[in-house]
Amino acid sequence: MKIAIDGPSGVGKSTLAKEIAMKFNLLYLDTGAMYRTVAYYFLKYNLDYNLENKDELEKINIDLISRAGRDIKVFLNGEDVSQFIREKKVAEVASVLAKYKSVRNKMDLLQKKIAREKKNIIMDGRDIGSNIMPDADLKFYLDADIIIRTKRRMKDLNLNLEDKIAFDEIYKKISERDYNDLNRKFNPLKRVAEAIFIDTSNMTFAQVKQQVFDIIECKLKNG
Ligand code: DC
């Protein structure tokens, strides 16, 4: 069983993907973590991420370890960077770097190789159903209103929902990332026709999970 989950930032793809992986015994690959690792490298060595830099990319070696029900472990040239790649600045830079053809090519090669080698896998990202695993058995596209995504992010960060300054700042960051995802030339965020679309705006996480589990169970039963 190969499953693709795509959708914008902050829609809950990775939390859901981890739960699916646990329940159905699949390998979970968080492709965003790989883009974040490239971003971390650029930040670590103070490189200009507003320019495409193919030479530096050649120096980047990424290794991944998937762990049941937990975040993926990521190694950059042997260094465990799993914690660092979750920082705000890294997410911002990843969103910029993800537009360069050379970066996407590097990620494509790695991700497509893993997709070919593994029979039971779930990947989440932006171009999984459209580009990395066009042959996936099931494709999901998750979406939610940007205001809802902003509030969910605030809750995750334990921020007061009435804090207008914090709201505006997070809203702005998410809209920038949406803009970058939707408008890049190479493999933008795409909802392919065959993907099952779930608007999670008015759903609890438990409801989304139940709906997705039911669909996967049905697919496993009926092929
Ligand atoms: O899902 P995430 O927030 O961890 O992803 C980090 C960035 O990587 C995101 O801004 C867009 C980019 N990305 C991408 O372009 N293609 C993917 N398949 C996954 C992530």
Side-chain angles (χ1 to χ4, degrees):
M1 163 78 59
K2 293 188 183 195
I3 302 178
I5 304 188
D6 290 299
S9 295
V11 79
K13 297 182 299 292
S14 55
T15 315
L16 180 65
K18 259 183 278 178
E19 297 250 356
I20 297 172
M22 279 268 276
K23 167 92 177 165
F24 297 97
N25 203 15
L26 308 173
L27 180 84
Y28 167 48
L29 189 73
D30 169 2
T31 62
M34 299 168 71
Y35 286 90
R36 285 169 181 259
T37 304
V38 177
Y40 174 75
Y41 177 92
F42 273 69
L43 285 167
K44 180 173 177 178
Y45 294 105
N46 246 318
L47 302 165
D48 184 359
Y49 50 86
N50 289 305
L51 290 173
E52 187 164 16
N53 191 333
K54 292 182 196 160
D55 295 342
E56 286 299 331
L57 280 183
E58 281 169 24
K59 300 181 198 162
I60 299 177
N61 187 47
I62 301 174
D63 291 305
L64 305 156
I65 301 179
S66 283
R67 304 174 298 169
R70 295 168 65 194
D71 277 337
I72 195 165
K73 257 197 182 285
V74 192
F75 295 86
L76 164 66
N77 298 335
E79 176 194 356
D80 182 355
V81 296
S82 318
Q83 301 275 314
F84 307 137
I85 61 165
R86 299 294 156 200
E87 281 166 22
K88 233 167 44 181
K89 185 70 188 166
V90 174
E92 244 177 87
V93 174
S95 176
V96 176
L97 285 167
K99 74 174 177 227
Y100 300 129
K101 192 164 189 1
S102 53
V103 173
R104 298 212 74 84
N105 281 346
K106 189 176 172 89
M107 301 296 109
D108 273 24
L109 276 175
L110 264 164
Q111 291 165 12
K112 285 181 179 166
K113 181 169 182 282
I114 299 170
R116 262 197 317 273
E117 286 170 355
K118 307 287 173 192
K119 275 206 166 60
N120 294 307
I121 186 163
I122 177 162
M123 282 196 189
D124 78 330
R126 308 295 189 285
D127 61 340
I128 309 304
S130 58
N131 171 45
I132 302 295
M133 282 204 302
D135 60 336
D137 302 295
L138 270 176
K139 297 179 185 180
F140 293 96
Y141 188 97
L142 260 51
D143 208 348
D145 185 272
I146 186 167
I147 294 178
I148 308 263
R149 283 185 283 139
T150 305
K151 288 187 177 160
R152 285 183 189 157
R153 180 64 52 87
M154 290 179 79
K155 274 196 200 149
D156 287 346
L157 297 169
N158 282 322
L159 295 171
N160 176 357
L161 293 183
E162 305 303 316
D163 183 341
K164 177 96 176 64
I165 294 174
F167 178 92
D168 287 348
E169 191 195 324
I170 294 173
Y171 182 96
K172 185 166 169 272
K173 294 271 182 265
I174 297 181
S175 19
E176 278 166 11
R177 293 176 70 189
D178 282 359
Y179 181 88
N180 289 344
D181 277 333
L182 291 166
N183 294 291
R184 69 174 158 260
K185 192 165 157 204
F186 310 107
N187 302 123
L189 171 62
K190 195 162 162 197
R191 175 181 158 193
V192 290
E194 65 275 24
I196 297 161
F197 177 73
I198 305 178
D199 181 345
T200 72
S201 301
N202 298 307
M203 293 170 83
T204 63
F205 179 70
Q207 288 170 330
V208 177
K209 190 170 109 176
Q210 192 56 55
Q211 185 175 341
V212 170
F213 278 17
D214 289 348
I215 294 168
I216 299 172
E217 261 152 19
C218 182
K219 179 82 185 170
L220 285 169
K221 231 188 264 163
N222 305 318

